[in-house]
Structure formats: C-alpha cells, structure tokens
Amino acid sequence: KVIDEYFLAWEGGEHYEENWGTGGFNTGNRVVFVKKPGEVQSVIRVSFPLNIKPSDDDYLKVRLLNSILGGSNFGSRLTQNLREDKAFTYGCYSSVRITENGSWFSTNGNFRNEVTDSAITEILYEIKRITNEYVTDEELVLSKSSMAGDFSRSLERPFTVARFALNVIRNELAEDYYQTYLQRLDGITKDDILEIAQKYLRPNKCNIVVVGNEEVIDRIMVFDSDGELEKLDAFGQPIVEMQPSDLTADEILNNYITAVTGMTPGKTLDKMLNKVESMTTVTRMSMGMVSMEMTRIWARPNIRCQKSEFDGNLMNKSYMDDNTGSTFTTLTGAIEMDAVEVEAGKKMRGMLPEGNYNSSGMIYEVLGIERKEGTDCYVIKSSDGHSEMYEYYDKSTFLKIAQLNIESTDDGTQDYYTTMSDYVGYEIKNAKDKIIAVVKFPNAVTLSTGQAHFTGEVVSRTFNDDIDFESYKK
C-alpha cells in the first residue's frame, strides 16, 4: 500500500552515468609506506591502473597473461620465484580487476622484514621479464588448462549462467561470447602474450605499497623514482613525524597516576590502593549485529581473569597468577600458558599497572610526542617479554587515550588497537561502606584487530567482590 502510494506513478529519469576516466598513471615508481609498529613481516602490494574495459578484445589475453605471471596456479612465475626459488614467502600472487569504472593490476604477498627490498626487486623483475621475452610453451599450456578448468567448473553453478547473461548485456559483448570462450582462449599465442604484456604492464611506473615496521624504510626508499617516500597511517592520512618528548617516561606515568587518582604517587597513594582487593569490569561491545560482552578481573595479590561471550555464548576465558596460567577457547579447549606468558603476566601488577612499571620489571621508554586520535600524545613503548605495547597519553590531561598491543604468535604477530575515552571517577568503598578512594577509568572503548572493529561501553565496574576464580580456570 505504501509503495503504491508513493511510487506507483513514478516513471523515473534517464539512467545516470559517470565517466570515471582510466585512472592516474604514474610517470615513475611511487613508494608508499604504511606504519605498523612491531610487525615482523612486510605486506607488499605492487599495482598500477590498466586502460582496459570488459568489452575490449584484449580482455581474455590480459587474463591469461596474469595467470602466467602470478595467477592462483602453483606454476606461476611469482610463486615459483619468490616461494619455490627464494623462499621469501608462502605465496605471492597477482590479479587483474577489469570493470567499466576502472581497471588495475596488483601483486600481493607477505614477506619477512629482512627480505622486503629483495622481494620488491624480484616482483618488478618478473613484471619486466614478461614484457621482454616470450613465455614458454609449458607455461602457456598450464595456464590455459587452469583457466579452462575454472570456466568449466563455474558452469555447474546456476547463478553463473545469470552472471554471464548480465555481463553480455551490461558490457555489450557478442551474444556467443561465452559459447566461444574456450575456443578463443585456446587460440591465444605466445606472440599475443608478449604484445599484451608490452601494451599494459608498467614495471617502471608502479605504486609500491609496503605495510610494516619502520626498520624497512631505508631498504624500500630506493624504489621511488623521485627518491621520496610517502608515509601514511592505517587510514591513509600522512604521518606527522614524532616530536621529542619534554618529559621522561617515569614523569609521564606518574602524571597519569595523578590524573586518575588525584594524588601524587608515593606511600600515601600506595596505602590507599592497598585497600582495594579486586576490580571487576564488564564491557559490552558491538560490531554491526554482533554483540560481545567482556569481563575482566584484577585481584590481589596478582590475579588476572577474563572471559568473552558472544550473544551470551562463551567464546574464550583465561586465568593467570604469578605461578600459573591457562586459556580456554571453544576451538582449542584448555591450554596451559607457557613460562614466558606467566612471567609476562607478573609484570602487569596492580589495579593501575602503569604505576608499577619501574618496580615490576617492565621494559619501557618514551618515544616522543605524536598526533593520535586528533590529540598530541606522549608515546611510551613498553614490553613485558611476551608482547609490545605502544601507549598514548594525552599531552594536556595525561589520560591514556589509546594503546596498541602487539603479541607474538606461532604465525607471526597479532595486534590489538584500543581507544579509551569518557573517563569517570569511581568511588571505591570498604566493607563498612566508607569511601577509600576515587579513581577515574574510561567508560567508552573501541577495539580493533584485523578487520574486526568493536565499539563499546563499560556497563559495570565493581570493587572488592567475592570472585569464583575456579570458574575461570576450568
């Protein structure tokens, strides 16, 4: 009824079309570095635009060229060179995206920091080599067979037929385009591949993007045609170089403790905090339709517990004290922490562990002043022997507003970026309901890891509770 009321008489206008052009073609190689502190691998993307559309006669030849150079088949040149011959990576591939609104070529791979420059050298070498010499008969046959197999298998899916029909209409293809696909694929020659490579590939006019640790910067700068390297953050914004700090790390941490407790670090503050036996924080977080509730507990003498529940279902939990620790996930079951993890846990002591860095064995230093979350921040790098942390303290208030945790795993590193805001003073009372302290904690948080981004708020923060630690151990 509502649709009829508002749209029944609507005829619409002429279909809108935008001319997006053919992309920005470089005059030389451009190198962009995206900073990811602590990373032991570099993610490398080498790309450039292609002046081609799906309706062009070269479409299938470009696809076959890409298959030989770095397609998904194991015999491609990039895989054979960078994985089989050099052992730089588990896999290096290339792809072409050809659309009406813009087309491009791209390679991708993850490489150890120490071979970052060598990997770029080999990628550019393979792009250039295929423009200078014929591919082999074996490569041609292998890639044709792979593409023919993919095409034939795709016909088993009903939606493929619909997609083919749509492509014919949208891209104004010949009506028998897909009926003659295999015949046209088989007819592509080595001369065709060389001609197409020389026409479209740009080994000296690439966009080279490297995401990783700053230690690789000097190695990759040589690939930029102008000798200048662009530094961007994870959101594509230019990085402003860090400024020297006017305070020591201990001065920054002491100012943070004063900001959240209202007291100067010392015996009086220690005496007050020693009356706090535990703190339990429950945070509710969401990402789209997915909701998560995280419970974190600190208790004396140095016990830390946590659990995460998705939509009410337990996903993981952990328990740690100065002598032992364990984790549990629904995928792995219960796993005992190793000695390194337990030793690291000892160093995060107290309800406010930042105030105990100088006595707990944490390794820490101030790196400088950097713009973060729109605020000038003191940056402190710390390590507990198992993971690294980059902590960001507001230069004017000394409140911690962000933290990047980088944990070492068997598969490399895993990072967690957390922001904190909306600090609220919590009254901490003793058994006689007398206020013994007022401490500020953040009530609004975000957590980003990989492609997951959660936003949340603290729904409860309680102190000196009776806690069932056994439920976190099992």
Side-chain angles (χ1 to χ4, degrees):
K1 180 180 178 181
V2 174
I3 291 174
D4 285 346
E5 179 181 352
Y6 288 98
F7 298 110
L8 189 61
W10 178 53
E11 296 181 357
E14 186 175 342
H15 175 64
Y16 175 79
E17 292 187 4
E18 178 69 49
N19 181 9
W20 297 102
T22 56
F25 292 85
N26 295 352
T27 57
N29 285 334
R30 172 191 178 196
V31 180
V32 178
F33 174 76
V34 181
K35 177 179 164 183
K36 190 175 182 185
E39 188 58 62
V40 298
Q41 287 188 321
S42 296
V43 177
I44 300 174
R45 299 287 187 271
V46 178
S47 65
F48 45 81
L50 300 171
N51 189 6
I52 186 174
K53 294 187 175 183
S55 56
D56 291 350
D57 292 338
D58 291 339
Y59 176 90
L60 192 55
K61 297 174 185 177
V62 171
R63 290 286 186 191
L64 182 57
L65 166 67
N66 176 71
S67 179
I68 296 171
L69 177 57
S72 58
N73 71 77
F74 194 74
S76 69
R77 291 188 174 188
L78 289 176
T79 296
Q80 288 296 308
N81 182 336
L82 287 107
R83 171 180 168 139
E84 295 303 297
D85 183 34
K86 305 296 191 306
F88 287 168
T89 180
Y90 286 115
C92 181
Y93 306 98
S94 67
S95 62
V96 290
R97 289 292 303 275
I98 302 176
T99 77
E100 284 294 324
N101 295 324
S103 305
W104 65 94
F105 167 90
S106 177
T107 72
N108 66 87
N110 299 352
F111 304 89
R112 305 189 311 277
N113 285 347
E114 59 268 25
V115 300
T116 298
D117 52 341
S118 300
I120 296 173
T121 296
E122 294 303 321
I123 291 171
L124 296 177
Y125 164 75
E126 291 296 350
I127 296 174
K128 187 174 183 178
R129 181 165 76 99
I130 207 168
T131 66
N132 289 337
E133 61 186 47
Y134 287 113
V135 300
T136 66
D137 292 329
E138 182 181 3
E139 288 175 314
L140 195 63
V141 170
L142 176 64
S143 290
K144 283 183 179 180
S145 298
S146 176
M147 290 180 62
D150 289 342
F151 177 81
S152 299
R153 284 189 297 274
S154 73
L155 297 176
E156 299 173 359
R157 299 188 293 271
F159 64 79
T160 298
V161 179
R163 177 166 56 86
F164 285 175
L166 179 61
N167 287 345
V168 169
I169 297 170
R170 183 172 55 190
N171 299 321
E172 299 180 350
L173 305 177
E175 291 188 3
D176 64 348
Y177 181 87
Y178 289 103
Q179 286 88 337
T180 61
Y181 179 92
L182 294 177
Q183 178 183 348
R184 288 182 290 108
L185 175 64
D186 188 55
I188 298 174
T189 66
K190 292 191 291 185
D191 287 303
D192 293 328
I193 295 299
L194 183 60
E195 179 186 351
I196 289 297
Q198 293 172 345
K199 181 177 180 180
Y200 290 103
L201 299 188
R202 299 171 174 269
N204 299 315
K205 300 178 181 179
C206 299
N207 299 301
I208 302 171
V209 179
V210 179
V211 181
N213 197 311
E214 284 185 297
E215 71 180 64
V216 306
I217 286 180
D218 291 340
R219 299 176 184 173
I220 65 176
M221 193 174 296
V222 297
F223 296 103
D224 192 284
S225 297
D226 297 327
E228 298 180 1
L229 179 141
E230 299 173 56
K231 296 182 182 180
L232 305 179
D233 63 19
F235 304 98
Q237 299 301 312
I239 292 177
V240 178
E241 293 297 328
M242 194 175 294
Q243 301 299 311
S245 175
D246 55 343
L247 299 176
T248 67
D250 286 326
E251 288 172 332
I252 296 166
L253 294 173
N254 286 341
N255 284 334
Y256 164 72
I257 296 300
T258 299
V260 296
T261 65
M263 300 179 64
T264 302
K267 292 183 179 180
T268 302
L269 176 60
D270 291 342
K271 183 178 180 180
M272 180 189 74
L273 294 179
N274 284 337
K275 296 178 182 179
V276 184
E277 295 297 323
S278 70
M279 178 175 71
T280 302
T281 305
V282 180
T283 307
R284 189 167 297 143
M285 311 194 76
S286 62
M287 181 179 66
M289 300 298 291
V290 178
S291 62
M292 173 177 66
E293 190 166 278
M294 299 175 62
T295 302
R296 295 183 182 274
I297 297 173
W298 165 82
R300 292 191 181 279
N302 191 35
I303 299 173
R304 292 182 180 277
C305 309
Q306 75 84 28
K307 67 178 178 180
S308 298
E309 297 171 296
F310 281 85
D311 295 324
N313 299 309
L314 177 67
M315 296 300 293
N316 60 67
K317 61 181 179 178
S318 65
Y319 171 89
M320 179 184 296
D321 57 33
D322 280 347
N323 301 307
T324 186
S326 62
T327 62
F328 171 88
T329 74
T330 54
L331 296 176
T332 64
I335 299 177
E336 293 296 316
M337 293 183 182
D338 59 31
V340 174
E341 293 173 294
V342 173
E343 189 64 27
K346 292 182 182 180
K347 298 172 183 176
M348 294 295 291
R349 304 190 69 85
M351 182 177 70
L352 299 171
E354 298 87 352
N356 298 316
Y357 280 5
N358 60 357
S359 61
S360 66
M362 286 285 284
I363 300 172
Y364 60 101
E365 62 177 327
V366 58
L367 299 182
I369 299 171
E370 182 179 319
R371 193 78 176 168
K372 201 72 171 179
E373 302 296 326
T375 302
D376 288 337
C377 295
Y378 292 105
V379 184
I380 291 181
K381 177 184 177 182
S382 58
S383 173
D384 57 16
H386 178 259
S387 61
E388 284 185 349
M389 292 186 295
Y390 292 79
E391 305 171 53
Y392 299 88
Y393 295 87
D394 188 311
K395 189 173 183 293
S396 59
T397 67
F398 289 100
L399 296 176
K400 184 189 293 191
I401 66 168
Q403 180 169 304
L404 174 65
N405 287 58
I406 304 171
E407 295 183 1
S408 299
T409 69
D410 293 337
D411 299 321
T413 60
Q414 178 70 46
D415 59 88
Y416 303 88
Y417 180 68
T418 307
T419 66
M420 310 92 165
S421 59
D422 187 24
Y423 275 78
V424 174
Y426 283 84
E427 294 180 348
I428 305 175
K429 300 180 180 180
N430 60 17
K432 297 181 180 180
D433 205 33
K434 180 181 178 181
I435 298 175
I436 56 177
V438 177
V439 182
K440 291 180 179 179
F441 293 98
N443 264 14
V445 295
T446 68
L447 172 63
S448 300
T449 176
Q451 296 184 9
H453 180 76
F454 290 90
T455 60
E457 62 178 351
V458 173
V459 294
S460 71
R461 196 185 300 269
T462 56
F463 304 87
N464 300 330
D465 298 328
D466 292 327
I467 302 167
D468 177 17
F469 295 114
E470 292 301 318
S471 65
Y472 288 87
K473 298 179 183 180
K474 297 177 181 178

